[in-house]
Structure formats: structure tokens, C-alpha cells
Amino acid sequence: MITILITGSEGFLGSRFTKAFCENKKYNIVTVDTKKFCSDIPVKHYQTDIKSQKLEQVFLENNIDCVIHLAAQVSVNNSVNNPQHDACENIIGTLNLINLCKKYNVKKIIGASTAAIYGDSQSLPINENAIPNPLSPYAVSKLAMENYIKISGIDYIIFRYSNVYGDGLLRDGGGAGVVTKFVNGMLHNEKIIIYGDGTQTRDFICIDNVVEANLRVLETNIKNETFNCSSGIETPINLLFEELSKITGYNQKPVYMPAQIGSINRNVLDNSKIKKFYYPDIDLKTGLSKLVKNYMEIKI
């Protein structure tokens, strides 16, 4: 049985990854997070910080084969306000993790990166060979995370995620992305703020597709590769607002505010490379409808 360590297991991505990997009987799952484990899933959980010396206990007590590294500071706005904290979480934490992986002969690291490392590219859709142009401290720290993993000497897979949405993000906060804010606001009949004129675009991918891509790549012998994990569809924020308004029955107009520092104008990723082993199959309307339905059922 393969033993996988999931860092950041209580976050938006981490909680879904933990559930999905536990359901696959091929894997023994160990988790790390600064928060207590909040599920009844039978995993061995360590409540510690990846920057802490206590992290070594995880490696001492478990024969870790693979690490899925999700623990991070994920807010662009927070990174702008406090770049030192962002760098400490995303770079120093990663270096501590890498050093332990090397010391205890971990075979593979799967790192969670972001489309933000590309910045505003002049050529769309953006493929993995595009020259990075990070516009925020968050994007800088994620690019550094990538590079430290790549030069570690450990086999790796880097996933550069576009805008991930889905059930769990509403409860966790997950960096308070645009989908989270829109759904929360609409279902509470609050004013919706759009930063910029709404023509700025994003590439939205459902978390179900993200989880499945990670499961699939572990079934291959692929190593030392970087993949865009995205829908490959460019969606204006105004269109996202319209789709969610229809789904939720929201009938107010948005309030437009100046664009935020570090915000990217247009973003869509070329996902043709990842289709070698996985094809993201959940369209935006289907994914958003499922998200709103789940949100209403749990009645937050």
C-alpha cells in the first residue's frame, strides 16, 4: 500500500483530497494541518505547522512514499498586505517539507501551484512553457515553491491550478475567491461587488476535476512534469455573475469598484498537456449548479 502525506488537509483542496484518496483502497493517508481534523474519515492526523520542527515526527512515524503539498497562504490580498508572512508560509514551509522528504527518502512530491504565476500574458491560452510574470507576492512565492521542488532531486509533479471552485470552499473560505463571494452574497441577498469592469476573465475548474486529475496522475509513471489544470475556457466575471444570478434567483445589479492590486486582467490556460491522462469534464454551469444546491442543503 502506498502511504501519502497530504499537507493542508483541512483546507478547501485538502479536505476534498483527503476524502477522495481515503476512498481509494490503494492508499494509506496521513494528514498534516495547523487545524484539528474535522472529519470522521479514518486517517492519522498531525496538528502541526509545516514550518515546525515537529513536522519530522510525521516522517519518523510513517513510511511516507508521496507528499501532496497543499498547505499554503492562498490569499492574493493578504500576500500584498503582508508579503513576509506569505513568503514564510509558502517558501520556508516548503523548504522544511522538502528537507524532510529528502532525509526520509520520499519518492514523489505533487505540488499545488497556481495560474497566477503567469501574470497577464499577451498570448492566450497560456501553456506551460510561457515565461512566468508574477504580479503579486502570492504568485512570487508559489513560483519559488515550484522551483525549490524542481531542484530538490525528488521526483515531482507540479499542477498549476486555474480558479478552483466547488463544495467546501463556501464553508472553508479558501481565500475568499470570486465564486465564494458571489454565492454567499447572492443567497443572502447582499450587494455583489465586482472589482474592475467585469470584463476581466478567469478559467474556472470544478474541484471534482482537480481531485480526479491528482488520482489519475498517480496511476501513471509520469514524473518531473508541470501541468496546467484548468477547464481551458475563458469566462468573463460579468458572465459568471449572470450565470450565478440565474441559478440563485438573484435580481440585483452588481456594484463595480476599482480593480485590486495584483489582479490579472485576462486568464485562460491551455490544458492540452494534462489531457494525456485526464480530461476535465464538468462544465461551469453544471459545476455552479451543484455548488449552489449543496450550499442550500447545508443551510449555512
Side-chain angles (χ1 to χ4, degrees):
M1 184 175 287
I2 298 171
T3 298
I4 297 176
L5 170 62
I6 299 177
T7 70
S9 61
E10 292 306 286
F12 168 48
L13 290 178
S15 59
R16 289 295 300 273
F17 275 52
T18 300
K19 183 177 185 295
F21 276 84
C22 282
E23 289 173 350
N24 190 315
K25 302 306 180 183
K26 296 178 184 177
Y27 306 119
N28 173 46
I29 303 301
V30 179
T31 58
V32 166
D33 200 286
T34 56
K35 299 176 183 177
K36 291 182 180 180
F37 195 68
C38 296
S39 172
D40 57 1
I41 299 171
V43 301
K44 195 172 183 180
H45 180 69
Y46 294 79
Q47 188 179 354
T48 188
D49 194 306
I50 62 168
K51 304 186 302 298
S52 171
Q53 292 182 350
K54 295 179 181 178
L55 185 64
E56 186 162 8
Q57 181 183 356
V58 180
F59 291 83
L60 280 168
E61 296 180 359
N62 303 277
N63 185 21
I64 304 297
D65 297 299
C66 175
V67 172
I68 299 180
H69 180 32
L70 304 171
Q73 190 297 116
V74 298
S75 169
V76 172
N77 288 341
N78 289 348
S79 79
V80 172
N81 294 330
N82 193 344
Q84 290 87 353
H85 173 72
D86 179 81
C88 188
E89 295 296 315
N90 294 352
I91 300 175
I92 302 304
T94 296
L95 284 172
N96 190 39
L97 183 68
I98 288 172
N99 288 337
L100 290 169
C101 286
K102 293 169 74 172
K103 182 176 180 178
Y104 291 91
N105 299 312
V106 171
K107 299 180 180 68
K108 181 175 283 188
I109 301 176
I110 298 179
S113 190
T114 170
I117 65 109
Y118 294 119
D120 272 322
S121 176
Q122 298 300 310
S123 178
L124 296 175
I126 307 167
N127 67 35
E128 291 86 351
N129 295 320
I131 297 172
N133 180 33
L135 300 179
S136 66
Y138 166 71
V140 169
S141 68
K142 277 297 196 177
L143 182 59
M145 178 274 294
E146 284 191 22
N147 288 330
Y148 276 117
I149 288 175
K150 289 176 180 178
I151 66 172
S152 69
I154 304 169
D155 288 347
Y156 68 85
I157 295 293
I158 299 293
F159 282 116
R160 290 173 178 165
Y161 298 121
S162 58
N163 288 64
V164 185
Y165 69 93
D167 185 37
L169 185 60
L170 297 166
R171 294 189 292 274
D172 173 66
V178 64
V179 174
T180 304
K181 291 178 180 178
F182 281 10
V183 174
N184 271 318
M186 288 177 179
L187 291 179
H188 290 92
N189 202 34
E190 299 169 350
K191 286 288 185 183
I192 302 298
I193 296 174
I194 292 179
Y195 293 96
D197 63 6
T199 61
Q200 65 270 31
T201 61
R202 295 293 181 267
D203 182 338
F204 296 100
I205 184 167
C206 182
I207 190 169
D208 295 346
N209 283 155
V210 169
V211 170
E212 188 64 26
N214 280 263
L215 285 165
R216 293 281 185 89
V217 80
L218 280 174
E219 295 173 353
T220 73
N221 59 2
I222 296 171
K223 64 181 180 179
N224 304 335
E225 292 279 6
T226 300
F227 296 97
N228 288 335
C229 189
S230 73
S231 69
I233 298 172
E234 186 176 14
T235 302
I237 298 302
N238 283 333
L239 180 59
L240 174 70
F241 176 88
E242 291 172 9
E243 286 292 337
L244 280 172
S245 293
K246 293 175 185 176
I247 293 168
T248 62
Y250 184 76
N251 57 14
Q252 296 187 47
K253 293 183 178 180
V255 176
Y256 292 94
M257 300 286 285
Q260 296 175 313
I261 296 173
S263 178
I264 296 168
N265 185 39
R266 292 183 65 194
N267 186 263
V268 59
L269 303 185
D270 180 347
N271 64 2
S272 57
K273 185 177 177 182
I274 202 173
K275 290 176 182 175
K276 293 177 181 178
F277 63 89
Y278 181 61
Y279 186 91
D281 59 354
I282 301 174
D283 65 81
L284 185 60
K285 184 176 181 180
T286 300
L288 292 177
S289 297
K290 178 184 176 183
L291 170 62
V292 172
K293 181 176 182 290
N294 289 340
Y295 182 95
M296 295 177 75
E297 285 178 351
I298 60 178
K299 297 180 180 178
I300 294 178

